Amino acid sequence: MADITDIKTILYTEKSLNLQEQGVVVIQTSPKMTKTSLKAVLKEYFGVTPQSINSLRMSGKVKRFRGRLGQRNDYKKFYVKLPEGVSLENVEA
């Protein structure tokens, strides 16, 4: 089962900030995280029950590092719809 260490970051991009106004938080996690395990982590550590969760599997890009081919890490991106008036910034872990 996944735990809090599998959550890498909460994304703050132009698109994700526009979604936060609608109550949707974008979370980047390790590829092994599932919707049910993310829901359990949010409930256990943040005390928040999400209304809905959508997920995307992102493959790492192939890039050149000092002339050699390398690959960025794969990750999952979750779009978490929170109840009205609740945000992860207001919740202390």
Side-chain angles (χ1 to χ4, degrees):
M1 170 131 185
D3 61 351
I4 191 80
T5 58
D6 291 324
I7 294 179
K8 292 181 182 177
T9 185
I10 296 175
L11 296 178
Y12 294 104
T13 61
E14 186 175 352
K15 181 179 177 182
S16 67
L17 289 175
N18 289 336
L19 287 172
Q20 280 187 1
E21 295 172 2
Q22 301 168 12
V24 177
V25 177
V26 183
I27 300 174
Q28 182 177 342
T29 67
S30 66
K32 69 180 182 177
M33 182 75 93
T34 62
K35 288 182 183 183
T36 54
S37 61
L38 179 64
K39 186 175 182 178
V41 167
L42 290 174
K43 191 179 283 188
E44 182 179 344
Y45 289 97
F46 297 104
V48 175
T49 304
Q51 290 179 342
S52 66
I53 299 176
N54 295 325
S55 64
L56 284 172
R57 185 179 169 277
M58 305 293 291
S59 297
K61 288 182 178 181
V62 174
K63 303 288 272 185
R64 288 196 178 272
F65 298 105
R66 296 185 179 179
R68 294 195 173 133
L69 282 179
Q71 184 175 8
R72 292 184 180 172
N73 293 334
D74 296 342
Y75 61 94
K76 271 192 179 176
K77 199 162 42 166
F78 288 93
Y79 293 88
V80 181
K81 174 85 170 146
L82 298 175
E84 277 192 45
V86 177
S87 67
L88 292 183
E89 290 80 24
N90 296 342
V91 179
E92 292 296 321

